[in-house]
Amino acid sequence: MRVRDLLAPGAPHLRLLAGEDELDRQVSGVMTTDLQDPGRYLHGGELVLTGMLWRTAPEDSERFVRTLVTGGAVALAAGEAEVGPVPEDLTDACRRHRLPLLAVPDDIAFGTVTEFVGRQVSADRAADLAALVDRHRMLVSAAGGGGLDAVLDLLGGDLDLDCWVLTPTGQVIAGPADRLTAEDRDQLARAHLGAQRQRRRPPHRARLITGNYSLIPAAVDPADESPLADWLLAIAGDVTEWTPKRQQLAENLARLVAAERTRRDEGRRLRRRIADETLALLQRDADPAEISRALHASTSMARYEGGTPLPVTGEGSWLVLSAEATGLPDGALRPVLEEALAFASERALVAALGANGAVVVLPALDVPVPADALRELLAPLEAGLGSEGRITVGVCAPAAESGGLRGALEESRHARRIAAARVGRVCVAGPEELASHVLLLAAVPDEVRRAFRSRLLDRVIAYDIEHQADLVRTLEAFLRSDGSWTRCAAQLHVHVNTLRYRIGRIEELTGRDLSRLEDRVDFYLALELA
């Protein structure tokens, strides 16, 4: 029952003195007390009945009301039989603390109020239990018929409750997608992964500008050490404030989501076999006709699964992605990429490569700007990667036909080496960078790169630190200005003579001549490595 039910027809004739805006609070029981500090006996949700015998001075009212609010009481009913009308100081204290206050006239016994509340709460609990059983039956029925969207539609219509099933990258699997912005989805995914990485107990709570949300992992295997591929159930509101039975409903819904995920994974088994076969064909440079048959099987499967198929020949423009992960459990990268790419291409073939690698083949038409799209898709995963965790991906240029996929695979591996040379937890490099010096830098061993950078820049950096100078920034600006003294001085907002002095100091420290093209190239590469 709610507090307002105490004022409804048929209820004991109580008078409302304060808290007009708080009458929708849920009453779970009654406690009668005249103790000055009854806080240790409160469990939350109580209507407190009192004869006000605890009050000896006006200041006692503030202390008593504050104790009730801290203990979770939802309303106070003060009896007028012993001490007369409710004093104004008690009414003021209830107003300050937004606690509903009701006066119990001297002709109404506390037992009458207690009996009325007990009947209402018992009836509500019986109705809640019946409704819960009925809703659970409908949820199971909906899950078997229309999938997760039918389940969430049912909850939205029955309980006015917005729920979504999201991937760890924030893609909507089910639920009213138009009620979550892309920014909201990104923040929810990151909050979920961050909480999982810290091993916090669910449900996880996320506070966004648009409201509060509860996040419940829908893990297929609770013992799984990597949540980067697990779906999550996002519920509008804070489920920790719900009644136990409604919380049980949320837990059951999470189980249904996990079951749907298991069913989806079962359907991926054949696709995985085709992916592994395709990779094996590419690695042994098989006849293009064999590769084409594997791609044709993938296309036919997408047609069967409801995707938009490519021409059944299996030909067309294809992309190959090479990926590697560190800091993840063995074999965890493939399901992560499957979930991330499912919303970019239903026809992606993701093959495992060793314990920490993967190779992806997918139609180029599905991802018009592959490197940029992948960066955006994978970015939320950063929140779930530990300090040592990384995912690096290389993307090839589109291959016009299946016969060109072998070369595309090698190209994607080179691109991945470029991504691995960068700083960041999720790095993607595309084919446009393969004709750049970046590819050469990525191929150089780490110790050689460190030595090269150190020989050119260490003395310049040390000088900056000792003299609070700005030589490194000056060097960068000079190279960006193609050695133009006037453009560089204007960019740095210094006089040309000041710029000449700084460049001269760099040349003295390094023994190089910045008028020579070779030395400029060396400095540029050293700065890139830094």
Side-chain angles (χ1 to χ4, degrees):
M1 66 169 290
R2 301 185 182 277
V3 176
R4 68 172 63 256
D5 295 333
L6 291 164
L7 303 170
H13 298 291
L14 310 183
R15 302 193 315 276
L16 180 66
L17 303 179
E20 297 85 355
D21 297 331
E22 305 294 331
L23 298 182
D24 284 326
R25 295 182 176 186
Q26 195 82 24
V27 179
S28 60
V30 180
M31 186 183 82
T32 302
T33 184
D34 273 310
L35 294 173
Q36 288 185 339
D37 184 3
R40 62 185 180 276
Y41 301 112
L42 292 169
H43 301 288
E46 293 93 348
L47 166 69
V48 175
L49 291 171
T50 181
M52 297 184 291
L53 298 179
W54 46 265
R55 181 181 178 277
T56 59
E59 55 268 21
D60 293 339
S61 294
E62 170 67 23
R63 182 171 56 252
F64 184 77
V65 172
R66 188 167 59 246
T67 299
L68 298 185
V69 172
T70 302
V74 296
L76 173 63
E80 298 178 323
E82 293 289 337
V83 299
V86 177
E88 192 64 31
D89 50 85
L90 181 57
T91 303
D92 291 342
C94 287
R95 287 199 184 104
R96 282 194 297 274
H97 291 278
R98 304 178 66 85
L99 182 69
L101 173 63
L102 303 114
V104 183
D106 55 10
D107 60 342
I108 296 177
F110 280 0
T112 303
V113 178
T114 301
E115 183 181 353
F116 175 79
V117 173
R119 287 198 306 269
Q120 294 295 316
V121 169
S122 296
D124 287 350
R125 285 175 178 165
D128 283 347
L129 183 58
L132 180 64
V133 171
D134 194 43
R135 278 196 294 270
H136 187 267
R137 177 183 57 76
M138 289 189 289
L139 282 175
V140 173
S141 174
L148 291 177
D149 275 311
V151 173
L152 301 189
D153 286 346
L154 174 65
L155 284 176
D158 189 29
L159 299 178
D160 193 24
L161 185 65
D162 282 339
C163 302
W164 299 265
V165 178
L166 305 177
T167 70
T169 55
Q171 305 298 319
V172 177
I173 296 169
D178 57 335
R179 299 186 191 176
L180 276 183
T181 65
E183 183 179 358
D184 287 343
R185 291 188 279 106
D186 181 85
Q187 292 185 46
L188 290 176
R190 290 175 184 269
H192 158 73
L193 290 173
Q196 289 284 83
R197 183 167 57 85
Q198 297 169 14
R199 299 184 182 278
R200 297 210 303 267
R201 186 175 180 179
H204 310 133
R205 284 174 286 185
R207 290 190 175 184
L208 277 56
I209 296 177
T210 53
N212 295 333
Y213 296 85
S214 297
L215 308 176
I216 304 176
V220 175
D221 180 4
D224 185 7
E225 293 287 330
S226 175
L228 292 178
D230 290 337
W231 291 352
L232 64 140
L233 174 63
I235 302 175
D238 188 349
V239 301
T240 63
E241 297 178 353
W242 290 5
T243 63
K245 289 185 175 61
R246 282 179 65 107
Q247 290 182 19
Q248 182 184 351
L249 182 65
E251 293 170 3
N252 289 341
L253 179 57
R255 292 191 188 99
L256 286 175
V257 173
E260 176 66 13
R261 170 62 190 276
T262 300
R263 187 193 66 79
R264 183 84 59 94
D265 285 349
E266 289 293 325
R268 281 180 174 164
R269 286 190 176 184
L270 179 57
R271 180 175 292 277
R272 284 184 172 186
R273 286 205 299 271
I274 295 175
D276 292 338
E277 178 187 345
T278 303
L279 176 59
L281 292 171
L282 292 177
Q283 287 178 320
R284 64 182 175 87
D285 201 14
D287 188 294
E290 289 187 77
I291 299 173
S292 181
R293 281 194 292 271
L295 298 178
H296 170 69
S298 169
T299 300
S300 300
M301 188 182 304
R303 179 192 304 274
Y304 177 76
E305 293 172 351
T308 304
L310 288 171
V312 296
T313 60
E315 294 299 335
S317 186
W318 297 88
L319 291 174
V320 179
L321 281 56
S322 290
E324 190 170 297
T326 56
L328 294 183
D330 290 352
L333 183 58
R334 168 145 66 176
V336 169
L337 293 177
E338 285 174 338
E339 287 304 322
L341 293 172
F343 290 84
S345 173
E346 296 176 344
R347 294 156 290 187
L349 293 174
V350 185
L353 184 62
N356 302 308
V359 171
V360 183
V361 179
L362 73 162
L365 292 176
D366 290 359
V367 190
V369 189
D372 292 343
L374 278 171
R375 287 189 194 99
E376 185 176 348
L377 279 172
L378 299 177
L381 297 177
E382 295 172 349
L385 293 167
S387 58
E388 301 300 321
R390 293 194 77 205
I391 296 176
T392 54
V393 183
V395 186
C396 74
E401 55 186 17
S402 57
L405 288 179
R406 171 65 182 176
L409 174 60
E410 289 302 317
E411 188 175 285
S412 69
R413 287 173 173 167
H414 288 306
R416 197 208 64 78
R417 289 167 62 193
I418 294 175
R422 292 178 173 156
V423 176
R425 294 185 178 178
V426 176
C427 298
V428 181
E432 66 280 356
E433 299 171 79
L434 291 175
S436 163
H437 65 278
V438 179
L439 177 60
L440 298 178
L441 295 180
V444 177
D446 288 344
E447 61 273 13
V448 175
R449 291 192 291 167
R450 283 194 295 269
F452 179 77
R453 181 179 64 235
S454 176
R455 281 197 297 270
L456 276 172
L457 295 180
D458 275 4
R459 296 187 66 187
V460 180
I461 294 171
Y463 186 91
D464 274 353
I465 294 172
E466 182 179 354
H467 299 89
Q468 285 77 51
D470 214 4
L471 297 187
V472 172
R473 191 168 74 93
T474 299
L475 177 59
E476 290 175 336
F478 186 72
L479 295 175
R480 282 198 304 269
S481 302
D482 297 324
S484 168
W485 297 99
T486 53
R487 286 206 311 273
C488 182
Q491 186 181 118
L492 293 173
H493 305 291
V494 298
H495 194 274
V496 171
N497 289 339
T498 301
L499 175 61
R500 291 184 184 278
Y501 171 80
R502 291 182 182 178
I503 295 298
R505 177 62 65 184
I506 292 170
E507 292 174 335
E508 288 178 13
L509 291 170
T510 60
R512 299 296 186 107
D513 182 357
L514 278 165
S515 65
R516 297 177 67 247
L517 175 62
E518 295 89 339
D519 287 341
R520 288 187 189 180
V521 170
D522 285 346
F523 275 120
Y524 177 79
L525 294 176
L527 289 169
E528 284 287 292
L529 291 172

